[in-house]
Amino acid sequence: MLFIGGAVATGIGLMGVAAYYIGTYFYLRSKWPVPEEIEGSTVRNLLYLATYYQHLELNHSRALAALKKAMEIIDRNEKTPKDSMAILDIKVRIAECMYSEDDKRGAEKALKQILPDISKSSRCAETASMAETLLYRAAVVLGSISIDDSRFEDAVSEYGLGLQAVKRLKQHTVAKFDSESLLEYTEIDNVNLKEAILTAHLAEAFFAQKNISVAETLFQGVLAAVKQHKAHLDVAPRVVTDYRTYKDEWACLDAQAMLFLAKIQNHLGDAEAAAPWIISAKKLAMGKQGLEIPRCIDCTSEILAELGHMAETRGDTKKAILRYREAYENAMLNFRDNQSKFFKELQRLEKKK
């Protein structure tokens, strides 16, 4: 009897696992469908596998391996045109994964090779919206690489070109807007989010260039976009939310903009003006909501570090050490890339004691 009971339990467990994977597969097909022009079950399944690792079970290394294998098979078959939107999308995804895996040079080279084809597609009415989206994604990666390399002028140019693409995408989206469709409201909100994200990136680039007045204006623009988003939701909550992959990137942008506005005031030597911004940013980023947003985890460490910097400026070394230690521990526990920066600051301060 025990043997039969165990076998039944095992069978039920296997059925549950099978149901999960079947459900996940159909979910991927409905939310991120592979275009029909991509032929062959092996290639299509590899692309769905990559999507799974990019959106549901974050593992950029495995996603990259699946995408590269899919492209190898596509290249051998030579059936799909190399400048088709489906192929260009795969190549942008490969570059995004390469950047996430710290292969900056590989990502940069891959994107610059396909930018002419994407730009050409943006001038065609049938492919314009998809091409503008790809230009946005490429700009985020290329601009971030330039920031990492301290090539701030290049970053301003790349983020600026991406922002122009998003503004054109916004025009396309508004032109075909159907007020009776809930998904149309979601699409417009997503375009507004892209615009706000690139505006924040552009503001960071200007801040890195020490162009403080422009950076401050742009960050204030990000806060205005967040406020407008919230107002639209309060008046007409028609944005459709997918709670399986939902991350409130608007909240993260809010925290990020407030953090940099605090940094700007500290740069100008006005700690009193910086205090309300940094306090509000900390409250937002360290709340329950913030813990669900990867970039807000970065913001949390950066906010704590900025509080440490402000304490050090006041001459309170003990408080500065405490804040930098919190920043380092938060970054370390959440496997963030910026942990070494905080550790160095912590070591420097402890030597001053």
Side-chain angles (χ1 to χ4, degrees), residues 53-91:
Y53 283 123
Q54 281 185 286
H55 296 286
L56 299 184
E57 185 68 36
L58 294 183
N59 189 319
H60 297 294
S61 177
R62 291 184 177 182
L64 181 58
L67 289 167
K68 284 185 172 181
K69 185 63 178 176
M71 273 308 306
E72 286 177 14
I73 298 172
I74 291 170
D75 287 339
R76 285 201 303 268
N77 291 341
E78 297 183 348
K79 290 183 179 180
T80 309
K82 298 300 181 286
D83 60 349
S84 75
M85 296 311 301
I87 298 299
L88 292 174
D89 176 62
I90 295 171
K91 290 181 177 180

Side-chain angles (χ1 to χ4, degrees), residues 325-353:
R325 181 174 290 118
E326 289 175 339
Y328 169 64
E329 289 175 351
N330 179 79
M332 183 175 62
L333 290 171
N334 291 293
F335 306 101
R336 311 316 294 172
D337 295 334
N338 52 7
Q339 55 185 279
S340 60
K341 175 177 67 175
F342 304 132
F343 185 66
K344 288 177 183 177
E345 289 298 314
L346 185 58
Q347 285 183 314
R348 179 183 62 79
L349 286 168
E350 287 179 334
K351 288 178 181 177
K352 288 177 63 175
K353 286 196 302 182

Side-chain angles (χ1 to χ4, degrees), residues 292-308:
E292 300 169 358
I293 308 170
R295 197 165 183 186
C296 264
I297 295 173
D298 279 336
C299 284
T300 299
S301 293
E302 294 288 348
I303 289 165
L304 291 168
E306 190 65 18
L307 286 167

Side-chain angles (χ1 to χ4, degrees), residues 251-310:
C252 188
L253 277 173
D254 205 2
Q256 182 190 13
M258 288 188 284
L259 165 62
F260 271 92
L261 286 168
K263 286 186 175 186
I264 286 170
Q265 295 304 322
N266 283 326
H267 177 80
L268 296 173
D270 193 346
E272 187 176 345
W277 290 120
I278 199 71
I279 290 169
S280 297
K282 181 185 176 187
K283 183 178 179 182
L284 178 60
M286 296 186 72
K288 181 181 178 183
Q289 188 180 42
L291 295 178
E292 300 169 358
I293 308 170
R295 197 165 183 186
C296 264
I297 295 173
D298 279 336
C299 284
T300 299
S301 293
E302 294 288 348
I303 289 165
L304 291 168
E306 190 65 18
L307 286 167
H309 168 71
M310 293 171 71

Side-chain angles (χ1 to χ4, degrees), residues 111-131:
L111 287 173
K112 288 186 175 180
Q113 285 177 341
I114 62 173
L115 277 178
D117 288 331
I118 300 175
S119 298
K120 181 181 177 182
S121 297
S122 70
R123 295 189 289 272
C124 175
E126 292 182 359
T127 56
S129 293
M130 180 63 178

